[in-house]
Structure formats: C-alpha cells, structure tokens
Amino acid sequence: DKTPVLLNNVKLVDKNATLYTQNLDYNLNSGIGNYHGGGKVINGKTTITSLDGTYYKDTKDIYFKNGVEVVGQNRVSTDSLLYNMLTQNYNLNGKTYIKNKETEIFTNQGSYDYKSDNTVFTSRTKVRDSSGRVYVANNMAMDNKSGNAQLEGNTIIRDSAGGFMVFANQVFLNKKTNSFLATRRPVLVIKQKDDSIYVAAD
C-alpha cells in the first residue's frame, strides 16, 4: 500500500502555486491526494480555500468542494470548483456568487479562462452592475478585457433608473460604453407614470 498520510502543515509546491493543508492522503501510484478539514491554494494574487479537496498530480488540477472561496480579481463563493494550477483556469459548479468592483453575479455553472480573461456561464445567470441594471439569461459569455458580452436564451434587461425592461432571445452588450443590441424577437417595455409602452420588432 503506497498511500502515506501526511500530517501537520502539509505544503505542496507546484511551479507558481502552493497547496497548504493540515493533512493530505496522497497515493504515490495514482498521484492523487485528498484533504479534509480545510485546505488553501495560493497562486500569485489568487487564494482559493475549501473544506475538502482532491489534488491530481498528472493534470495539476485541484477539485475544491464544500465552502469554496476564491479571493483574487473577483470574490467567488461556490459549492465546488475545478482549478488548474498551471493555467489558473477554473470551472464552477453549484450555487455560486461572484462579486467585483463592477458587478454581482448569481449562477450555478460556469468557467473562467485566466489568460484571455473570458467568462462563460452555462446555466440561468443573473448579473447586477454598479448602476443597478440587471441582466438575466440562460447563457452568457463575457470578454472582460473589451467589456463585450453575449447573452442568449430568455434574456431580460431591467433598468429601474432608466424606467425600461427589454426581453429578447439574444443580446450583445458592451459594459464600457453602457450600450446593448437586443435581437431575436426583442420587446422593449417603457414604464411611465400610469402605464407602460410596449415596442416589439422582428
């Protein structure tokens, strides 16, 4: 049996990332290690913590689960997260809350590409920006560098300050210019004092 139990302040260093945990059950044959009761990875300016986790030596992945918290460019709280120590990319799964200077995001599934700074959400997702405008869609793709985003599937934009709502099946938007284009049977609802105006297009 080549499964030693390492105890007391385990430190596993892999290129730029370091895994810290109090105990790690590591199998020398498979290169898979499990921790329970708390672990932390520090990779540059990003820190990820969770109650439980699994480290895969061959792929340099860590599967974080139970009380996962990410602190870096964004603050992320999620049920589980698969993180690659080399690329710094991650996949989210389960109830997730993301917050940064500009937005709050509520979702259940998504992925983040560190190099391109692109985010994709593949479940019904709600985004609230700093102006209070809310975006909801079945799928979202965001290019955080350019500010461009594409929303698809039962998309809703609610702007309480502007007094309007937009319904469409596809929306292209730019966060930097605060503009958007709604396509695929869009409907604009403009709220007035005692009534609402509906504008639809093909």
Side-chain angles (χ1 to χ4, degrees):
D1 182 36
K2 293 187 177 180
T3 311
V5 178
L6 307 174
L7 299 169
N8 298 324
N9 298 320
V10 176
K11 181 179 176 183
L12 196 154
V13 180
D14 205 319
K15 300 253 177 172
N16 299 324
T18 305
L19 168 64
Y20 301 90
T21 183
Q22 286 300 308
N23 60 76
L24 182 73
D25 302 324
Y26 187 72
N27 187 306
L28 294 173
N29 290 328
S30 66
I32 297 173
N34 292 290
Y35 67 80
H36 305 284
K40 172 171 65 175
V41 164
I42 298 177
N43 195 346
K45 295 180 180 178
T46 302
T47 301
I48 306 173
T49 57
S50 70
L51 191 59
D52 303 302
T54 303
Y55 167 75
Y56 301 91
K57 180 185 176 188
D58 289 347
T59 59
K60 304 297 187 266
D61 286 321
I62 300 179
Y63 178 55
F64 296 93
K65 52 195 173 207
N66 299 325
V68 183
E69 298 284 337
V70 181
V71 178
Q73 275 187 309
N74 301 313
R75 292 191 69 95
V76 181
S77 300
T78 187
D79 291 338
S80 67
L81 181 145
L82 182 65
Y83 177 80
N84 186 273
M85 294 173 80
L86 298 179
T87 64
Q88 299 186 56
N89 297 346
Y90 56 77
N91 295 307
L92 305 159
N93 196 31
K95 190 175 180 182
T96 301
Y97 173 69
I98 302 168
K99 183 171 175 56
N100 57 37
K101 290 184 293 185
E102 299 162 356
T103 57
E104 284 184 293
I105 302 170
F106 303 85
T107 190
N108 286 302
Q109 195 166 40
S111 61
Y112 173 72
D113 185 295
Y114 177 80
K115 191 173 183 180
S116 66
D117 199 16
N118 289 345
T119 309
V120 175
F121 299 110
T122 54
S123 69
R124 189 85 174 148
T125 299
K126 175 181 172 183
V127 177
R128 182 185 297 120
D129 69 17
S130 55
S131 73
R133 187 181 287 177
V134 175
Y135 306 88
V136 183
N138 292 346
N139 297 291
M140 294 187 184
M142 301 177 179
D143 181 337
N144 297 307
K145 286 180 181 173
S146 69
N148 292 325
Q150 182 175 341
L151 289 61
E152 289 192 342
N154 298 317
T155 301
I156 303 167
I157 300 174
R158 186 174 65 242
D159 190 321
S160 299
F164 69 85
M165 289 180 70
V166 174
F167 300 89
N169 276 310
Q170 186 173 59
V171 172
F172 300 95
L173 64 90
N174 185 284
K175 291 188 289 184
K176 292 182 179 178
T177 61
N178 199 27
S179 62
F180 64 87
L181 170 67
T183 64
R184 297 186 188 167
R185 303 178 75 95
V187 176
L188 170 65
V189 181
I190 303 168
K191 296 192 175 185
Q192 295 184 324
K193 191 173 182 182
D194 298 317
D195 202 359
S196 295
I197 299 172
Y198 292 78
V199 181
D202 291 332

